[in-house]
C-alpha cells in the first residue's frame, strides 16, 4: 500500500514509586515506529522545567550511542515520546526539524505535548495564534498546545482540555506533562485516532499508548482505551478520569483496521486487528463467486495483506503462496513517503520469487490510493512470470480526501475518485480489481457504521467543517479547477 500522512504514535508513562520511565517510553515508541519515521522525540520534567530530545528519522536501536546517552540522562518518573509522520505542516528538512515533537509551549507557564491527528479549523486557530505573536512551527501541535496553555491561565487542566475539545475541530489523541509533574492524555470527542492505557504488573507504572503493542512490549496489562472526549490524569494524588465531552457518536478511523495499526494491536476496546483482517479476507472470498475458478494461487502483499490472504485461503481452500517477501531492513512505509520516494521504496522493499510462473494469482493488498504502488508491484509479479493478476483490496474504494491526518489531500490524487474498477485495472496493469464492500468491511470490524469514520470512502465526514470543505473541493474539482493540496491549511 502507498499512503502518506501524519499517522503518528504517542506514548507516555508515570511511575508512582518515582522510578525512571524512560526505558518504558523508549520501548513503547520502538513498537510503534511503523506509525511515523520522519522524526522521533522524548520529553520529561527535570528540575521544574522540560528537557527534550528530538531528532529526524527512525528511532535508533537500543545500543546506539545516542540512545545510551538518553538512557543515562532521562531519569524522570514521568515522560512522553512521539514518532511522527508529517501530514500537517511543511515537509522540507527545515520545517521537519521545527515541527518535531514533543512540543514545549509557553514561557512562564509551560506545557509539553505530543499528538497524533490533524486539526481541521487550522485557519481560525492560526489567526488566533498570530494575534499573539508569530508561530514557531508549521505543525498543528503548536496550535493545540497554545490553545491548551491559554485555557490553563487562571484555570485548571480539566477546563483547559474542555476548551480544546470545544474549540478545535479534528482528530487529536494527545499525551502531555504539566509543570506540576502530571501526566495527562486526552482524545477528541469522536475518538478518531487510537489511544489506550495500561499498567505494569505491580500496578505502579501507568502508560498510555497509541496502540496496545506499546503496552505489550513493556509487559504491561491493557486496561482500556481512552474514551472519546475523555481526559486521564496521573499525578502524586493518584489517577483520575474525566469524561469532558460525551458526544452522540464516535468516529474511529476505519483505515486503522486496514492499514495503519499493527496486526497484533487491539483497537476500540479490545478488537484484534489481525482477526478483523482475516475476516476482511473471508469477505473478499465470499463476495466474489468467481474467485475459485479465476485463480490458482493467493499471494499477499506483506504485511498488511497477510492476514486477509489467510482468511481468503480458509474460505476457498486455494493455496496461499508466500511468494512476495519484504527485505527486512528496508523499513520505510511506502504510503508515508513522497511519490518519488515511494517508487524507489517499493522496488527495494519487495522481492518476488519465481514460483508464480504461468499462474493466475489473486493478490491481497490492504488498499489502493494513488495506484503507483500497485502498478509497481504488478510489474514485479509479471516479471516473475504471473500469467493473470487479480487484485483484491480489503479497504473499500477511496473516493474522497482525508482531513484527519492521513495524507490523501485532494480528489485528483485518488485513483478511486475518478475511475471505476475496470479502468483502474487497466491503469495499474492488472487483469481485474476487486474491493471489499463497505457493508462487509464495517461488519468485519465488529463496529456499527456510525461508530466509524468512513469519510474517505463515502464522502460523509463526522465533523461539519470537514464536510463543508470536502463539498466545496468536490465542486471545484468537478468544474475542472486545479486542486491546491491541503486547502483548509492554505492562508
Ligand atoms: S477520512 Fe478515512 S483515513 Fe481519514 S480518518 Fe476518516 S476513515 Fe480514516
Amino acid at each position: 500500500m502507498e499512503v502518506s500522512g501524519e499517522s503518528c504514535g504517542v506514548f507516555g508513562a508515570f511511575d508512582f514509586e518515582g522510578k525512571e520511565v524512560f526505558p518504558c517510553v523508549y520501548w513503547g515508541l520502538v513498537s510503534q515506529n511503523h506509525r511515523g519515521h520522519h522524526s522521533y522525540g522524548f520529553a520529561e520534567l527535570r528540575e521544574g522545567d522540560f528537557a527534550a530530545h528530538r531528532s529526524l528519522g527512525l528511532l535508533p536501536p537500543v545500543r546506539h550511542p545516542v540512545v545510551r546517552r538518553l538512557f543515562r540522562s532521562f531519569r524522570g518518573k514521568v515522560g512522553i515520546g512521539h514518532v511522527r509522520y508529517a501530514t500537517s505542516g511543511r515537509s522540507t528538512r527545515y520545517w521537519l526539524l521545527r515541527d518535531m515533537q514533543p512540543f514545549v509551549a509557553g514561557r512562564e507557564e509551560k506545557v509539553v505535548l505530543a499528538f497524533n491527528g490533524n486539526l481541521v479549523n487550522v485557519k481560525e486557530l492560526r489567526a488566533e495564534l498570530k494575534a499573539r505573536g508569530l508561530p514557531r512551527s508549521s505543525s498543528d501541535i503548536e496550535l493545540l498546545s497554545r490553545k491548551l496553555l491559554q485555557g490553563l491561565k487562571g484555570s485548571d487542566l480539566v477546563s483547559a482540555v474542555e476548551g480544546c475539545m470545544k474549540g478545535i475541530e479534528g482528530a487529536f489523541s494527545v499525551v502531555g506533562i504539566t509543570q506540576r509533574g502530571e501526566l495527562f492524555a486526552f482524545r477528541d470527542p469522536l475518538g478518531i485516532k487510537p489511544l489506550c492505557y495500561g499498567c505494569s504488573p505491580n500496578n505502579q507504572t501507568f502508560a498510555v499508548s497509541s496502540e496496545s503493542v506499546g503496552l505489550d512490549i513493556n509487559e504491561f496489562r491493557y486496561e482500556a482505551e481512552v474514551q472519546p472526549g475523555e481526559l486521564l490524569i496521573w499525578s502524586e494524588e493518584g489517577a483520575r478520569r474525566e469524561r469532558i465531552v460525551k458526544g452522540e457518536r464516535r468516529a474511529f478511523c476505519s483505515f486503522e483496521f486496514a492499514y495503519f495499526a499493527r496486526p497484533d494491536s487491539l483497537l476500540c476496546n479490545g478488537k484484534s486487528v489481525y482477526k478483523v483482517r482475516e475476516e476482511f479476507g473471508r469477505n473478499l472470498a465470499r463476495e466474489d463467486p468467481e474467485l475459485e475458478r479465476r485463480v490458482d494461487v493467493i499471494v499477499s502483499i506483506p504485511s498488511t495483506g497477510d492476514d486477509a490472504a489467510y482468511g481468503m485461503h480458509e474460505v476457498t481452500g486455494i493455496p496461499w503462496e508466500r511468494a512476495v517477501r519484504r527485505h527486512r531492513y528496508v523499513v520505510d512505509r511506502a504510503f508515508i513517503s513522497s511519490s518519488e520516494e515511494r517508487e524507489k521504496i517499493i522496488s527495494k522493499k519487495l522481492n518476488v520469487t519465481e514460483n508464480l510462473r504461468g499462474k493466475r494469482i489473486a493478490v491481497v493488498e490492504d488498499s489502493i490510493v494513488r495506484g503507483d504502488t500497485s502498478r509497481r508491484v504488478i510489474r514485479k509479479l509479471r516479471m516473475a512470470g504471473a500469467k493473470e493478476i487479480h487484485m483484491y483490496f480489503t479497504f473499500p474504494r477511496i473516493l474522497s480526501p482525508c482531513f484527519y491526518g492521513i495524507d490523501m489531500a485532494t480528489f485528483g490524487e485518488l485513483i478511486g475518485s475518478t475511475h471505476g474498477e475496470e479502468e483502474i485495472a487497466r491503469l495499474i496493469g492488472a487483469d481485474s480489481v476487486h474491493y471489499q464492500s463497505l457493508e462487509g468491511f464495517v461488519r468485519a470490524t465488529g463496529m456499527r457504521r456510525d461508530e466509524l469514520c468512513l469519510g474517505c470512502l463515502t464522502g460523509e465526514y463526522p465533523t461539519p467543517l470537514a464536510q463543508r470543505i470536502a463539498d466545496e473541493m468536490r465542486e471545484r474539482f468537478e468544474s475542472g479547477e486545479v486542486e491546491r493540496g491541503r486547502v483548509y491549511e492554505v492562508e
Side-chain angles (χ1 to χ4, degrees), residues 9-78:
V10 297
F11 195 91
F14 185 97
D15 189 277
F16 282 100
E17 287 180 326
K19 289 192 187 138
E20 61 210 49
V21 295
F22 182 79
C24 158
V25 179
Y26 171 78
W27 287 111
L29 285 191
V30 168
S31 70
Q32 300 187 90
N33 226 167
H34 62 288
R35 298 189 70 85
H37 55 241
H38 278 147
S39 65
Y40 67 89
F42 302 94
E44 69 172 16
L45 188 63
R46 212 178 280 169
E47 291 159 15
D49 204 354
F50 294 116
H53 172 89
R54 293 169 289 245
S55 187
L56 293 183
L58 280 167
L59 199 53
V62 70
R63 291 189 192 285
H64 192 283
V66 168
V67 176
R68 288 160 87 132
R69 208 174 56 239
L70 293 174
F71 268 78
R72 285 195 298 273
S73 57
F74 276 73
R75 311 305 289 259
K77 65 173 186 179
V78 53

Side-chain angles (χ1 to χ4, degrees), residues 203-462:
N203 297 326
Q204 292 305 314
T205 316
F206 278 78
V208 59
S209 177
S210 289
E211 287 185 40
S212 60
V213 288
L215 305 173
D216 297 337
I217 200 169
N218 284 299
E219 298 182 355
F220 280 20
R221 193 173 64 242
Y222 172 91
E223 292 281 328
E225 57 166 352
V226 178
Q227 293 301 311
E230 189 179 41
L231 164 70
L232 270 74
I233 307 171
W234 292 271
S235 69
E236 290 299 336
E237 280 87 57
R240 184 174 160 199
R241 295 179 71 169
E242 295 273 348
R243 190 77 183 263
I244 305 224
V245 177
K246 192 156 174 22
E248 283 161 21
R249 62 165 293 194
R250 60 182 304 166
F252 184 73
C253 170
S254 48
F255 205 32
E256 290 279 346
F257 280 110
Y259 173 69
F260 266 109
R262 259 178 55 166
D264 45 343
S265 273
L266 303 174
L267 297 175
C268 301
N269 283 328
K271 295 195 165 45
S272 153
V273 174
Y274 86 82
K275 293 270 179 215
V276 169
R277 288 183 186 161
E278 283 178 2
E279 189 58 16
F280 288 165
R282 290 185 202 106
N283 280 342
L284 279 167
R286 291 182 202 118
E287 289 175 3
D288 179 10
E290 294 298 309
L291 178 64
E292 286 171 53
R293 275 197 294 277
R294 187 178 280 138
V295 306
D296 309 310
V297 66
I298 298 166
V299 169
S300 51
I301 303 301
S303 59
T304 40
D306 292 343
D307 299 308
Y310 174 72
M312 183 182 269
H313 157 74
E314 251 190 350
V315 168
T316 59
I318 302 170
W320 170 28
E321 183 92 51
R322 307 291 302 273
V324 180
R325 299 284 173 166
R326 288 178 69 148
H327 291 290
R328 188 181 290 182
Y329 298 105
V330 184
V331 288
D332 283 5
R333 294 189 91 172
F335 176 49
I336 49 183
S337 312
S338 72
S339 135
E340 204 182 314
E341 280 174 310
R342 207 158 41 231
E343 289 274 317
K344 288 188 200 151
I345 290 169
I346 298 300
S347 276
K348 297 204 172 11
K349 192 165 116 173
L350 297 178
N351 197 23
V352 182
T353 68
E354 296 267 320
N355 298 349
L356 301 175
R357 193 151 298 282
K359 297 203 172 126
R360 301 170 304 155
I361 59 173
V363 178
V364 182
E365 166 72 303
D366 53 75
S367 56
I368 178 166
V369 180
R370 300 170 186 88
D372 44 2
T373 304
S374 296
R375 198 177 303 119
R376 182 61 71 129
V377 167
I378 288 166
R379 203 180 307 153
K380 286 200 151 209
L381 291 165
R382 296 264 186 224
M383 279 163 65
K387 188 170 134 206
E388 284 181 30
I389 299 172
H390 304 275
M391 298 296 291
Y392 289 82
F393 296 105
T394 61
F395 201 53
R397 188 165 139 204
I398 300 173
L399 303 168
S400 277
C402 173
F403 304 99
Y404 307 117
I406 308 293
D407 191 11
M408 310 189 285
T410 59
F411 285 95
E413 74 193 74
L414 305 171
I415 196 167
S417 103
T418 43
H419 301 90
E421 279 90 331
E422 275 180 32
E423 266 181 308
I424 294 174
R426 188 178 49 75
L427 289 169
I428 62 176
D431 291 280
S432 67
V433 158
H434 311 260
Y435 291 101
Q436 185 181 186
S437 68
L438 188 60
E439 297 67 33
F441 177 90
V442 171
R443 204 172 45 246
T445 65
M447 313 269 288
R448 289 198 319 268
R449 191 179 164 125
D450 67 353
E451 291 177 315
L452 290 165
C453 173
L454 300 167
C456 54
L457 302 176
T458 59
E460 289 161 21
Y461 295 85

Side-chain angles (χ1 to χ4, degrees), residues 162-176:
E162 188 175 0
C164 287
M165 289 195 188
K166 294 194 170 153
I168 297 178
E169 176 176 326
F172 46 92
S173 281
V174 183
V175 295

Side-chain angles (χ1 to χ4, degrees), residues 73-203:
S73 57
F74 276 73
R75 311 305 289 259
K77 65 173 186 179
V78 53
I80 61 171
H82 185 261
V83 287
R84 177 170 192 250
Y85 171 76
T87 48
S88 75
R90 302 164 204 170
S91 53
T92 61
R93 186 179 162 80
Y94 174 80
W95 285 106
L96 285 175
L97 279 165
R98 287 192 81 110
D99 293 347
M100 293 183 300
Q101 298 183 34
F103 185 85
V104 182
R107 290 203 178 86
E108 279 135 40
E109 171 105 53
K110 286 186 183 174
V111 69
V112 64
L113 289 186
F115 102 119
N116 170 27
N118 207 71
L119 312 187
V120 182
N121 58 335
V122 203
K123 281 188 192 170
E124 174 200 326
L125 295 166
R126 205 167 278 155
E128 269 181 39
L129 186 59
K130 275 197 170 161
R132 291 193 193 83
L134 280 176
R136 266 165 44 200
S137 74
S138 72
S139 161
D140 291 356
I141 186 66
E142 183 168 14
L143 305 174
L144 208 150
S145 43
R146 299 282 167 158
K147 186 90 186 162
L148 187 75
L149 215 50
Q150 196 185 323
L152 276 173
K153 286 200 177 94
S155 193
D156 63 359
L157 187 56
V158 175
S159 321
V161 170
E162 188 175 0
C164 287
M165 289 195 188
K166 294 194 170 153
I168 297 178
E169 176 176 326
F172 46 92
S173 281
V174 183
V175 295
I177 309 173
T178 65
Q179 267 182 308
R180 290 179 292 281
E182 300 151 308
L183 171 72
F184 62 91
F186 61 91
R187 211 168 161 205
D188 63 77
L190 290 163
I192 296 174
K193 299 291 170 185
L195 196 63
C196 63
Y197 69 97
C199 77
S200 60
N202 69 357
N203 297 326

